[in-house]
Amino acid sequence: MRAFYGVTLPGAMMLGTAQYPSPTIMAEAFRASGASVATVSLRREAGGGQAFWDLIRGLGLRVLPNTAGCHTAREAVTTARMAREVFQTDWIKLEVIGHADTLQPDPFGLLEACEILCAEGFHVFPYTTEDQVLAQRLVDAGCRVLMPWGAPIGSGMGLNNRHGLRSLRAAFPDIPMVIDAGLGLPSHAAEAMEMGFDAVLLNSAVAQAGDPVAMARAFGLAVQAGALARDADPMGVREMGVPSTPLLGKAWL
């Protein structure tokens, strides 16, 4: 797996910390998933206080603070600066929301915030779309990771634009990429890994499941399966059927 700002993670799953039925279930879900990164919003940490922060640190995972809920570049930059002080890390998942219904990123605000934060030494993980022009601008600004959405946040729809995501992956072969948002089923995560993405980030699909711990375990296994399948060099798609049993040696009557 590619390194994220020089850090090679032990696993390809990143998991959010919001919406779980209880802190205990959240901790059990993280352990079942095999996730190597926990995403935490500054708002969530403030609401949970020291007990929540102690729980997150007790998981022994890399923490990725995010600017969830920010709608302007200024708000996102301020939140990122506060998060760096609270969580003691230069990593930041940057969200600048531009549409209230789809929760699509604001490309203009996102790029503006990225330019500021990269210049200040942040290691930015931008929540973006599959747009290649925007991706290039983010890379030019200093981003060394891209996090294209699979579908709207919390929708569970999976990978809405497979062609666009494949094209983006092919256009930036050396940039680590994480599918972020919209995954609802383990099969969605497996498909993302099969397509060549380096990790997946999800929250609602696990936290809002009837059994979050079992769903976390299922996603963890799916991520592993997808990565193994990708590395195994899958066969290409064919337009016609090809017999798996050779015709050579067949008895002709």
Side-chain angles (χ1 to χ4, degrees):
M1 185 168 65
R2 294 178 180 87
F4 295 87
Y5 291 104
V7 176
T8 300
L9 300 172
M13 186 169 169
M14 304 179 180
L15 192 56
T17 55
Q19 303 177 333
Y20 291 87
S22 73
T24 299
I25 291 177
M26 183 194 75
E28 291 177 359
F30 266 89
R31 285 190 280 267
S33 72
S36 57
V37 172
T39 62
V40 183
S41 73
L42 190 63
R43 290 175 174 83
R44 177 69 179 88
E45 193 278 338
Q50 187 62 42
F52 174 75
W53 183 221
D54 288 343
L55 177 62
I56 296 300
R57 285 190 294 188
L59 295 173
L61 306 176
R62 186 95 186 189
V63 174
L64 176 61
N66 68 48
T67 63
C70 293
H71 292 263
T72 67
R74 180 178 180 181
E75 184 182 12
V77 168
T78 300
T79 302
R81 290 167 177 163
M82 294 173 64
R84 178 157 63 178
E85 292 186 19
V86 171
F87 298 108
Q88 296 295 300
T89 178
D90 290 328
W91 281 22
I92 189 73
K93 178 193 169 188
L94 183 62
E95 295 183 23
V96 183
I97 302 301
H99 194 279
D101 292 331
T102 65
L103 302 181
Q104 178 173 324
D106 173 356
F108 308 102
L110 179 65
L111 179 58
E112 179 184 350
C114 276
E115 290 173 338
I116 295 170
L117 294 175
C118 287
E120 293 183 4
F122 280 88
H123 294 160
V124 179
F125 291 66
Y127 164 61
T128 183
T129 66
E130 64 275 19
D131 185 282
Q132 291 188 35
V133 176
L134 175 57
Q136 186 61 63
R137 298 291 177 85
L138 294 171
V139 171
D140 291 343
C143 294
R144 295 296 173 261
V145 175
L146 295 173
M147 301 184 78
W149 66 344
I153 294 172
S155 68
M157 291 190 291
L159 306 179
N160 271 0
N161 184 356
R162 289 168 173 80
H163 171 72
L165 290 171
R166 287 194 185 95
S167 298
L168 180 69
R169 176 68 282 180
F172 298 87
D174 298 324
I175 297 293
M177 291 191 191
V178 182
I179 291 292
D180 175 23
L183 303 184
L185 294 171
S187 57
H188 299 156
E191 183 179 6
M193 298 302 294
E194 289 168 2
M195 290 169 63
F197 288 90
D198 301 284
V200 299
L201 193 160
L202 58 138
N203 189 162
S204 300
V206 170
Q208 296 183 5
D211 186 339
V213 177
M215 186 61 76
R217 183 175 296 110
F219 264 100
L221 292 172
V223 168
Q224 293 179 45
L228 287 170
R230 175 196 64 210
D231 295 342
D233 190 16
M235 64 175 284
V237 176
R238 299 162 176 166
E239 293 186 359
M240 298 183 65
V242 178
S244 56
T245 302
L247 297 178
L248 184 65
K250 177 182 177 180
W252 295 94
L253 302 178

